[in-house]
């Protein structure tokens, strides 16, 4: 299969690196409006550079188009890739809103191409183990989840479009909150049904929120809190799971700890493929065998729907039923 990456930023480059590790997958092109960046990246990874994605689609005819572009471009570019017959691996969040999600899903179905959204939380070994423990019941019933992330969201090297609501869709809750929402839904094998939230605007850069706190309920009856801050402070990315017979503490990308007796002990994890590699392998398998996808367009739309409910709750001060 031939693969092209649209977007020469950090995430796009990581997709190229992952693709280069997979037998039977040939990276052929990189697209970026920055001509020098496209050329430099193309030289490093042995692919062809383009500044026009339509020209690339016409000339290269990639089997897979990886879209790692600003959020406001997701709908248009995805739809055009579908028209050219390319299967689509679209970075999260899927789109600016659920209306755009529906348009992307329809375009993929109309052109009979596969659509996968890059929710990489499904591929970290520690996350996979949390889901297994929840499902097994070995710690009893899952009672609640506390997800906390502190990060310097306003760092100088973050591209300016992230701070424009019309281009990004929102701030930290759109970009990083999508990971937390997806993680909670996937691990509990349920959907978020209710949201009460508040977000803050204390940074002069842009018109998006810099923090948010969200109280959620899931269809499986689990309560969860997401707390995210993009203001200066100590970095933290932890998720605690409280059960009737113990606790888990997850640090995605670092490890997992379990408590059955009042103390945390590290959990030994099975080795796993790098998440972006495993994601591409799953996508290739779905294309080859015409099977369904865990991170389908329909599933990924639910994450965007929760994000919309977060903003609606903050604006109105009322609890929202997630549609």
């Amino acid at each position: 299969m031939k693969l092209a990456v649209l977007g020469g930023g950090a995430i796009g480059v990581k997709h190229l690196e992952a693709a280069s590790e997979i037998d039977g997958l040939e990276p052929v092109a990189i697209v970026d409006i920055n001509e020098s960046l496209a050329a430099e990246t193309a030289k490093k990874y042995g692919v062809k550079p383009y500044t026009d994605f339509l020209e690339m689609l016409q000339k290269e005819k990639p089997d897979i188009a990886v879209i790692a572009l600003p959020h406001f471009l997701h709908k248009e570019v995805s739809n055009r890739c579908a028209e050219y017959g390319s299967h689509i691996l679209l970075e999260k969040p899927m789109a600016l809103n659920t209306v755009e999600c529906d348009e992307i899903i329809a375009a993929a179905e109309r052109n009979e191409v596969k659509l996968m959204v890059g929710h990489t939380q499904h591929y970290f070994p520690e996350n996979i183990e949390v889901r297994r423990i929840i499902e097994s019941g070995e710690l009893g019933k899952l009672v609640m989840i506390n997800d906390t992330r502190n990060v310097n969201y306003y760092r100088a090297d973050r591209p300016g479009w992230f701070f424009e609501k019309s281009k990004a869709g929102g701030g930290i809750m759109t970009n990083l909150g999508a990971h937390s929402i997806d993680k909670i839904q996937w691990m509990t094998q349920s959907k978020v049904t209710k949201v009460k939230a508040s977000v803050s605007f204390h940074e002069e850069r842009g018109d998006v929120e810099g923090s948010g706190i969200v109280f959620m309920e899931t269809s499986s009856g689990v309560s969860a809190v997401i707390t995210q801050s993009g203001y200066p402070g100590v970095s933290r990315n932890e998720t605690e799971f409280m059960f009737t017979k113990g606790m888990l503490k997850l640090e995605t990308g670092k490890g997992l700890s379990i408590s059955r007796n009042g103390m945390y002990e590290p959990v030994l994890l099975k080795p796993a493929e790098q998440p972006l590699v495993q994601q591409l392998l799953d996508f290739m398998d779905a294309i080859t065998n015409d099977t369904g996808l865990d991170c389908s367009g329909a599933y990924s739309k639910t994450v965007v729907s929760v994000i919309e409910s977060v903003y609606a709750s903050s604006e109105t001060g009322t609890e929202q039923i997630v549609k």
Side-chain angles (χ1 to χ4, degrees):
M1 295 184 189
K2 296 194 298 181
L3 175 142
V5 174
L6 289 74
I11 299 300
V13 168
K14 288 181 180 179
H15 281 291
L16 273 179
E17 291 173 349
S20 66
E21 296 180 20
I22 298 175
D23 291 336
L25 187 59
E26 179 189 3
V28 295
I30 178 71
V31 183
D32 199 278
I33 57 172
N34 184 329
E35 186 174 1
S36 60
L37 176 61
E40 180 182 339
T41 305
K43 183 178 180 181
K44 182 176 179 179
Y45 292 97
V47 299
K48 293 182 181 178
Y50 290 89
T51 56
D52 185 326
F53 81 99
L54 292 176
E55 180 187 2
M56 183 279 294
L57 291 171
Q58 292 166 356
K59 291 183 177 179
E60 302 297 334
K61 298 180 174 58
D63 299 290
I64 297 173
V66 178
I67 300 173
L69 295 168
H71 308 158
F72 73 101
L73 297 174
H74 284 193
K75 184 191 75 170
E76 177 188 355
V77 175
S78 295
N79 292 356
R80 297 306 295 270
C81 286
E83 290 170 4
Y84 277 87
S86 295
H87 301 286
I88 302 159
L89 175 51
L90 177 60
E91 266 300 326
K92 66 86 212 155
M94 184 176 173
L96 293 177
N97 50 59
T98 53
V99 173
E100 290 192 353
C101 290
D102 285 333
E103 292 185 38
I104 295 170
I105 292 167
E109 292 177 348
R110 186 168 59 249
N111 292 282
E112 298 182 338
V113 299
K114 293 287 185 182
L115 168 64
M116 183 182 199
V117 179
H119 289 295
T120 53
Q121 294 293 316
H122 301 211
Y123 296 102
F124 286 91
E126 56 271 26
N127 292 5
I128 294 169
E129 180 65 7
V130 170
R131 178 172 156 127
R132 186 200 67 76
I133 291 171
I134 292 173
E135 188 172 16
S136 73
E138 62 191 76
L139 287 180
K141 181 176 176 57
L142 178 62
V143 177
M144 65 183 76
I145 302 170
N146 184 20
D147 182 270
T148 302
R149 188 164 187 181
N150 303 330
V151 64
N152 179 15
Y153 194 73
Y154 293 91
R155 66 178 195 267
D157 63 342
R158 187 178 292 281
W161 65 265
F162 277 102
F163 305 103
E164 298 180 50
K165 187 173 178 62
S166 62
K167 294 180 178 179
I172 194 169
M173 297 308 300
T174 290
N175 195 36
L176 303 184
H179 283 305
S180 295
I181 294 163
D182 167 50
K183 181 167 54 179
I184 289 167
Q185 290 199 142
W186 180 71
M187 289 177 176
T188 61
Q189 300 183 58
S190 61
K191 299 292 190 295
V192 174
T193 57
K194 296 179 182 179
V195 165
K196 179 69 170 68
S198 177
V199 303
S200 78
F201 300 84
H202 296 299
E203 173 66 42
E204 294 181 358
R205 189 179 179 189
D207 61 350
V208 298
E209 82 284 354
S211 76
I213 184 165
V214 186
F215 178 81
M216 309 189 307
E217 292 183 31
T218 72
S219 57
S220 60
V222 175
S223 298
V225 178
I226 296 174
T227 306
Q228 297 202 341
S229 173
Y231 305 123
V234 178
S235 294
R236 185 181 176 195
N237 185 7
E238 295 180 355
T239 311
E240 291 181 298
F241 300 81
M242 280 66 83
F243 300 79
T244 55
K245 297 180 181 179
M247 299 174 66
L248 293 173
K249 181 166 71 173
L250 168 69
E251 295 179 272
T252 299
K254 292 184 178 181
L256 176 66
S257 299
I258 190 168
S259 172
R260 295 186 179 91
N261 55 10
M263 295 181 63
Y264 273 123
E265 299 174 355
V267 176
L268 295 178
L269 302 168
K270 296 178 181 178
E273 289 277 10
Q274 195 267 354
L276 292 182
V277 171
Q278 187 58 55
Q279 179 176 255
L280 281 169
L281 288 170
D282 273 3
F283 196 35
M284 293 171 68
D285 180 69
I287 293 167
T288 301
N289 298 305
D290 192 23
T291 55
L293 285 157
D294 198 28
C295 298
S296 65
Y299 169 77
S300 302
K301 176 188 171 183
T302 69
V303 176
V304 176
S305 184
V306 177
I307 293 170
E308 286 183 330
S309 297
V310 166
Y311 294 136
S313 177
S314 184
E315 289 170 5
T316 63
T318 62
E319 182 180 78
Q320 299 291 306
I321 304 300
V322 181
K323 299 177 181 179

